[in-house]
Amino acid sequence: MRITRVLSAALLTLGLAAGPAAADSSPSPSASEDSGAPTEAGTSFRTATEIEQGQTATASASTGDYLYWSFPADAGQRPTVKATVKLPDTHAAEAWQIDVYDGLRRRQSCQSGAQTRTAAADAASVELTCVLRTVRAWSEPWANDPLPGTYYLRLTAVDVPTSDLGLPVDAEVRVDSKDIGGAAAVDGSLAEPLVPGAGAISQGDEEESTKEALLASLEPSDGWSSGWWSDRWVWTAIGGVLAALAGIGGYALTRGPGRPSRVPPGA
């Protein structure tokens, strides 16, 4: 019996020791979160690599290349684009810049963030940020407001010495959005989001397949025009209820005691 107890205790001790080791050897969620993220970038608008919001995309390139990615943004979102460029061990001072374009390829200005930065000589990396304006559901044709659809991100070096052209670099980009809600709601919406090929005309039996091939494959997780519901509806309903209560209260205060009773004279 004593030998059996000793063996049982030894096996239990080995099991407890192996448990944490097995847990530590399993991949962490953060490491596998972006396992399906793209590892290359396009070289033009037409070949831009599609990424989803919340993904961290990477690419290896050479100094002087133009790197393009595309991502979807819906009404009520305020996208924030971040880029990190890992530079070679030896290089001169050089400036890097990110530019964001909407579905009509109109350059969108950054509301805040460092869109252009100069990396000092021999700096290990440079970080760029661009916070866009809130995407609107509808806008006047003459306005340059950001609208729902596909957005393009371009990363490149804008001021590079000739000696640094062609040096290898590693780029990392990520897009996240903040939901602004009813504060950005407007009356009206686009018939279709501004995505590549949305206005293409197809004929014959291949209409469906052709349109599917022309449209961008990425869209928000809950579909386009997901921002039709906002807290603006809630505040409108609350305002209507308060207005009704105010009307009832005002009527109760101003209507008086009612019509005077008719008492015959001399009664």
Side-chain angles (χ1 to χ4, degrees):
M1 292 294 294
R2 183 175 298 178
I3 295 175
T4 304
R5 290 178 181 177
V6 172
L7 291 176
S8 300
L11 291 174
L12 180 61
T13 303
L14 290 175
L16 292 175
D24 294 339
S25 62
S26 60
S28 60
S30 58
S32 60
E33 180 180 358
D34 294 330
S35 58
T39 56
E40 59 182 11
T43 56
S44 66
F45 286 103
R46 295 181 62 86
T47 61
T49 300
E50 295 179 344
I51 61 174
E52 297 179 356
Q53 292 194 26
Q55 274 188 332
T56 300
T58 58
S60 297
S62 300
T63 304
D65 291 345
Y66 285 86
L67 307 179
Y68 287 82
W69 293 269
S70 64
F71 63 92
D74 205 358
Q77 293 183 340
R78 181 178 293 169
T80 298
V81 179
K82 295 183 180 180
T84 302
V85 182
K86 297 180 181 179
L87 303 172
D89 296 336
T90 303
H91 63 86
E94 53 191 46
W96 286 80
Q97 179 173 305
I98 52 175
D99 297 293
V100 182
Y101 300 83
D102 63 6
L104 299 177
R105 298 185 185 180
R106 302 176 302 180
R107 185 176 181 274
Q108 293 295 320
S109 59
C110 298
Q111 183 174 263
S112 61
Q115 182 181 6
T116 305
R117 271 188 173 176
T118 300
D122 299 334
S125 62
V126 58
E127 296 183 356
L128 308 168
T129 305
C130 176
V131 181
L132 296 175
R133 294 174 295 164
T134 304
V135 179
R136 295 167 56 89
W138 179 84
S139 177
E140 294 288 349
W142 47 262
N144 194 36
D145 297 322
L147 297 171
T150 299
Y151 282 76
Y152 298 92
L153 163 63
R154 184 179 70 185
L155 173 65
T156 188
V158 294
D159 187 8
V160 184
T162 306
S163 59
D164 283 0
L165 292 175
L167 292 179
V169 294
D170 293 322
E172 182 179 288
V173 297
R174 182 182 177 92
V175 181
D176 295 289
S177 287
K178 179 181 179 182
D179 189 4
I180 303 303
V186 295
D187 295 329
S189 61
L190 297 179
E192 294 289 344
L194 300 176
V195 298
I201 300 177
S202 304
Q203 297 178 354
D205 298 336
E206 300 180 355
E207 179 177 359
E208 295 298 330
S209 60
T210 305
K211 285 187 176 181
E212 184 68 22
L214 289 173
L215 292 177
S217 60
L218 285 181
E219 64 178 23
S221 57
D222 47 1
W224 290 109
S225 300
S226 57
W228 70 271
W229 169 261
S230 66
D231 52 6
R232 184 180 183 184
W233 294 91
V234 178
W235 289 111
T236 301
I238 293 176
V241 172
L242 292 178
L245 293 177
I248 295 173
Y251 174 75
L253 291 175
T254 58
R255 72 188 182 97
R259 299 177 63 181
S261 59
R262 295 183 177 180
V263 180

